[in-house]
Each structure stands twice: as structure tokens, then as C-alpha cells.
Amino acid sequence: MGNLTKKTILSQANEAKKAAKSLSLLSSKEKNEALQKIADEIEKEASFILQENKKDLKIGRERHYDDAFMDRLALSEARILSIATSLREVTQLHDPVGDIIEEWNLDNGLHVKNIQVPLGVIGMIYEARPNVTVDATGLALKSGNAIVLKGGSSALYSNKALVSVIHQALVQTSIPTEAVQFIATADREITEQLFTMHHYIDVLIPRGGRSLIETVVKKATIPVLETGVGNVHMYIDEHADVKKVISIVVNAKTDRPAVCNALETLLINKTWFQRNKELLFSELKKCNITIHGDQVVTHHLPEALTATETDWAEEYLSLDLAIKIIGNVEEAIEHIDSYGTKHSEAIITEDPQVAKQFMQEVDAAAVYHNASTRFTDGGALGFGAEIGISTQKLHARGPMGLPALTTSKLCLSGNGQIR
């Protein structure tokens, strides 16, 4: 059975590679019409998708998945509508394929154009979120790429349902159904086979927890667009406006705590803390936030849990928050350098010089001044649905939209030139 499955995956990857050839030649109009058709079909088949999602949720409850995991796994009519809406938003975005990045003439008369072209075949390895199945597919197809999807076993029924609906829609379009492949297995050995299929897959994008990402990066022989976990920090400076602090902290922590741009660690200037600790603790208590604090915090708030070394490195994805009291912005930057994941970091201050220092020195894909970190998101930044948030520095960084799924090609036109 294992060998048969390996042969099947090899065949699927080969079909994706062939489909990528024809897909790269389609017009923006043809690709947009296909995405619109997929969005319509998803809305039409909402009851079927929800029915299959319930199977995953039932298994999740039996396996005692935590609340954050179940939230990422769960679909609803509103979330399905949002998925379809995201696809339609992608149709409104500029198609980068064929764009001329630059062009010039050499002294010998040779004309050079550097144009954007699709990456080819994208291998998408991800965990619990079924919406990633559609988001990744939409962005891949719009940018002229075929995609091989390998979702987590916890969302197997949901993902199979979504891919079947996508295929139903594609039959009515110019895009071949083979351009969207789904690997329907929980076999880890089979999954890891994808990491080395460099003859068929051009790039791997892992999206999920630290363990998944590290496994892909370690074992892949294919280039990896690495998405990172979000141990997100916020520094409250001595000159922070208290109203802004309360509003921003509450939003960044509670708006949707199970996502990677949610606040995980709060670093507070000791002078600001002495003035405003009662109000801050009161507001956090109203939100049912569990505080993991250093010695200063636990001294003033006995019910807080004592923070350990693990807490400073933790991506909670829940209503837990680590709090550390520090002396200045330099200490905040040093702490972020030690524990940050280069995802999203923020400062709240009315001092422009302190803000400038923080923004310049903190190394992250997104750095904020007086704003919630919840904006590190493709939709919020106008990219449409995102395929992931890159925390590396080569090729793409931050929320990855359509341009991140293209590469460049030099096209040279001459009149018999030789060298």
C-alpha cells in the first residue's frame, strides 16, 4: 500500500507539472473567471463543506485538541462566506505575471527585458486551517502556478471536500483540474517524499507550528519559502498614551488569539508600569487573560503565574500573556533579539526618537508604532488572501501575496549578435 501511495503522489506531482505549463499561458481574464467560479461553487456547496468539517471537529474533540486548535479547524457559514469573498478579492488584484520589471538596451543593440513569471509548481504543507486550502489555491492559480496541497490529517475531511468543490468549479473553466492536487494521506513518510521531489515541485511553503516548519526546512531538497511562528512582542514605553495602550493591547491579544500575529509577550517600562498597573491589570482581567509574569508582576498581582524561560519563547495561541517589566527601549530590543521569531513586533510611545530607534533596530518582517500587530495579514494590507507570512529574508518577507509567487526571467532580443 505504501509503494502504491508513493506512485500515486509521483503521478499527482507530474500532472501538476504538466498543468503548470498550460496555466502559465492563460490570460488574467481566464484566471479571474476561474476564481470567481470557485467562489460561487464554495458558497453553493456550503452545507456539504460544513457537513464534512463536522467530521473533523468530532475527531478533534475525541482527541482532546485544545481550544486554539479547534478554532483554527472550525468552519462556519460566515467563515465559508469569508473564504469565497477572499477569492473574489484576489480577482480584483493586479496580476503580476508578464509584468516588465525593467528593460534596457546593451551597447551592441541587444534588447533585454526582465519579466515576472510563475514559480511553476508550489508544494503547500500546512496544518489545521481548512481556509488555507482555498487561499493558497486562489493565489497560486492567479499567479499562474499549479499547486500540490498537503493539509494536516486533522482537517482531512474538510480539505477533501474543499478540493472536490474546487475541481467541480475548474471543470467549467480554462484551468485544468490537474493544476490543483491534494495529497490525501496521513502517512508521514509519504508527506516527506514531497520534500525531495525537486523534478516536479519548484518551491515548498510550510505553514503551521514550529515543529512542522523546522521539519520541512531540515529535510527538504527543494527551495523553501519559510513561514514562521509568531512570538509577538509589544513594548510599552515610559511615554506611552494609556488609552492607546489599553485599546491596542486588548485588540492584539484578544481579537483572535489563535493566529500568528496575536500578541504573546508584553514588555513594560517600569515607570509606566508604576503609574498604570492597576488599570492595565483590571482591563486584562475583564478579558479573561491569564498572565505569566516576572517577579515584579507577580509581586503586584499575586494571582499571576510565575513566568519561566519557556514563557518568554512561547507562542501561546490562547488567552495567555507573558509580561516582563524592563528599564528602557534598549532592554526591549535585547529581549526581542533573544526570543523573537522575526514575525511582528510593536512599540507604543509618544516619543518619536524612541519609536525611531525601535523601528530601525528591531529585526522583524513587520514592525509597528502605536498600532495593533493584527494588521500583519495579506487581506488587511491589501494583498488579498495570503499564502503565508514569511519570516526569512530571501525572495519574500512578510505576508506573501501574488508577487511573492512569481520569479523573474530575462528575455533577450537581438539581430544576430554574438560574443
Side-chain angles (χ1 to χ4, degrees):
M1 181 178 176
N3 289 333
L4 178 64
T5 307
K6 286 183 178 181
K7 289 180 182 177
T8 302
I9 291 179
L10 192 66
S11 174
Q12 286 182 270
N14 189 39
E15 288 179 355
K17 183 177 181 179
K18 291 177 181 177
K21 282 279 190 181
S22 58
L23 181 55
S24 67
L25 303 175
L26 296 181
S27 67
S28 295
K29 182 174 183 291
E30 289 172 307
K31 291 184 287 187
N32 287 335
E33 287 174 350
L35 296 192
Q36 181 64 55
K37 186 66 71 174
I38 294 172
D40 292 344
E41 200 74 17
I42 285 172
E43 289 184 350
K44 178 183 170 185
E45 297 292 344
S47 59
F48 164 63
I49 296 167
L50 289 174
Q51 170 189 308
E52 296 303 292
N53 182 242
K54 285 178 182 177
K55 296 178 183 178
D56 289 325
L57 293 174
K58 180 176 182 292
I59 294 170
R61 287 190 292 270
E62 291 170 353
R63 294 178 180 175
H64 305 291
Y65 294 149
D66 61 36
D67 291 344
F69 193 95
M70 291 296 285
D71 176 64
R72 295 194 295 275
L73 180 60
L75 292 175
S76 63
E77 287 189 8
R79 285 188 178 180
I80 288 176
L81 180 61
S82 177
I83 288 170
T85 299
S86 291
L87 271 180
R88 294 192 179 100
E89 288 174 351
V90 173
T91 69
Q92 302 302 310
L93 298 173
H94 172 68
D95 182 356
V97 176
D99 280 357
I100 299 172
I101 301 169
E102 55 183 334
E103 60 181 322
W104 65 97
N105 292 309
L106 300 182
D107 291 342
N108 62 6
L110 198 63
H111 182 68
V112 185
K113 282 196 300 187
N114 192 17
I115 64 170
Q116 283 184 276
V117 296
L119 290 170
V121 180
I122 295 169
M124 188 74 193
I125 319 293
Y126 55 108
E127 293 179 326
R129 296 177 187 165
N131 67 290
V132 173
T133 299
V134 182
D135 288 351
T137 297
L139 286 171
L141 297 181
K142 172 78 181 230
S143 54
N145 297 287
I147 189 164
V148 178
L149 299 157
K150 176 58 184 76
S153 59
S154 59
L156 185 60
Y157 287 104
S158 305
N159 289 332
K160 285 173 67 176
L162 286 165
V163 172
S164 71
V165 171
I166 290 169
H167 283 165
Q168 284 173 216
L170 289 180
V171 169
Q172 310 167 58
T173 75
S174 302
I175 294 179
T177 58
E178 291 80 8
V180 181
Q181 300 288 336
F182 179 68
I183 308 301
T185 180
D187 190 324
R188 186 165 295 181
E189 183 182 345
I190 300 304
T191 300
E192 292 185 0
Q193 182 189 356
L194 287 175
F195 304 169
T196 59
M197 297 175 68
H198 55 273
H199 291 298
Y200 306 96
I201 297 173
D202 295 283
V203 64
L204 287 174
I205 302 178
R207 181 169 173 177
R210 189 188 302 270
S211 176
L212 169 72
I213 295 166
E214 289 179 350
T215 298
V216 175
V217 170
K218 180 180 178 181
K219 298 186 176 182
T221 60
I222 301 169
V224 177
L225 269 175
E226 183 179 349
T227 65
V229 295
N231 183 17
V232 175
H233 299 79
M234 189 171 291
Y235 170 55
I236 301 176
D237 181 52
E238 176 183 356
H239 302 291
D241 179 89
V242 67
K243 290 183 179 179
K244 289 179 184 175
V245 167
I246 299 302
S247 174
I248 293 170
V249 168
V250 168
N251 177 262
K253 180 71 251 184
T254 69
D255 179 58
R256 199 171 173 196
V259 295
C260 60
N261 58 25
L263 174 64
E264 303 291 15
T265 298
L266 196 57
L267 305 171
I268 308 177
N269 178 277
K270 60 186 179 183
T271 303
W272 191 96
F273 178 75
Q274 287 300 328
R275 291 197 307 261
N276 302 290
K277 57 183 179 294
E278 289 82 5
L279 176 60
L280 177 64
F281 287 152
S282 173
E283 293 298 322
L284 295 179
K285 186 174 182 180
K286 288 178 187 176
C287 298
N288 296 314
I289 292 171
T290 300
I291 295 173
H292 303 249
D294 65 5
Q295 289 184 345
V296 178
V297 172
T298 54
H299 173 74
H300 291 283
L301 188 69
E303 63 265 37
L305 302 175
T306 300
T308 65
E309 184 69 14
T310 301
D311 287 293
W312 305 130
E314 189 68 34
E315 184 188 31
Y316 293 114
L317 301 174
S318 62
L319 287 175
D320 289 80
L321 180 66
I323 301 181
K324 184 177 185 180
I325 310 306
I326 58 178
N328 51 45
V329 68
E330 287 80 13
E331 288 185 35
I333 295 168
E334 183 180 350
H335 182 97
I336 293 168
D337 283 346
S338 297
Y339 299 101
T341 53
K342 304 185 189 303
H343 191 294
S344 302
E345 311 291 2
I347 181 172
I348 308 178
T349 184
E350 299 304 307
D351 186 325
Q353 290 305 312
V354 173
K356 181 180 179 181
Q357 180 181 356
F358 186 92
M359 301 283 278
Q360 286 182 334
E361 295 185 24
V362 167
D363 183 11
V367 187
Y368 293 81
H369 174 212
N370 288 351
S372 171
T373 54
R374 288 284 288 115
F375 292 99
T376 310
D377 173 82
L381 292 173
F383 302 157
E386 69 186 31
I387 204 162
I389 297 173
S390 170
T391 54
Q392 64 185 34
K393 298 183 181 181
L394 293 180
H395 178 70
R397 199 177 196 198
M400 294 186 289
L402 295 171
L405 302 183
T406 65
T407 184
S408 61
K409 178 165 69 176
L410 290 173
C411 295
L412 301 91
S413 299
N415 188 31
Q417 285 88 344
I418 61 172
R419 183 178 181 183

